[in-house]
Amino acid sequence: MAVRTAPETATTPSLFADGRRFLKLALRVDAVVTGANGLAYLALAGPLERLLGLDAAVGRGLGAFLVVFAIAVAALSMPARAPRLAVHAVIEMNVLWSVLSVVAVATGWLDLNAVGATWAVMQAGTVGAFAAAQFIAIRRAD
């Protein structure tokens, strides 16, 4: 009895094995999620103030920053090879955002309510995951 094997696909590396493709994906997902989050902070500052306890003016400022950051990250994902130094800057900004989100909750810095604190911690985890994916991807891209 002959044993059948799956056809080989060595010519098509998986998305996660191909560092450049993985990096592009990690940057683009970051840009989309960050941009959507920033637009929500800008457009819904009043309702978010009531929901999260985040001052509307602070929310608008964060929203503007996030939209600009998202545009920069999206632009960084476009060339065939993203500039290494710029990718490291994105990773560092993502780590900083994650740390500051947890610090804001732990210290009461932004005076968030329970929903806002939960949101900030969840957001810190998501942004931390973006940083980790980007770090792994850039190491594989070299």
Side-chain angles (χ1 to χ4, degrees):
M1 178 175 200
V3 176
R4 294 185 139 188
T5 59
E8 290 190 35
T9 58
T11 58
T12 312
S14 77
L15 172 65
F16 299 111
D18 182 346
R20 282 192 225 164
R21 286 178 54 205
F22 182 29
L23 181 58
K24 282 183 175 294
L25 176 65
L27 290 170
R28 288 177 181 170
V29 170
D30 185 353
V32 168
V33 172
T34 300
N37 198 28
L39 290 173
Y41 281 144
L42 285 170
L44 304 170
L48 288 175
E49 181 172 27
R50 291 185 293 282
L51 178 65
L52 306 175
L54 178 66
D55 179 80
V58 173
R60 284 186 198 96
L62 290 173
F65 168 78
L66 291 174
V67 168
V68 171
F69 184 73
I71 292 168
V73 173
L76 185 59
S77 77
M78 297 302 173
R81 284 192 96 118
R84 187 174 175 79
L85 185 61
V87 172
H88 280 287
V90 168
I91 293 167
E92 290 169 10
M93 290 295 294
N94 282 338
V95 170
L96 181 61
W97 181 277
S98 295
V99 169
L100 289 178
S101 294
V102 172
V103 167
V105 170
T107 63
W109 177 21
L110 296 176
D111 200 29
L112 300 171
N113 60 27
V115 174
T118 301
W119 172 253
V121 171
M122 287 173 36
Q123 192 177 68
T126 301
V127 175
F130 291 155
Q134 292 157 355
F135 180 77
I136 291 166
I138 197 162
R139 290 191 57 156
R140 288 183 183 170
D142 291 335

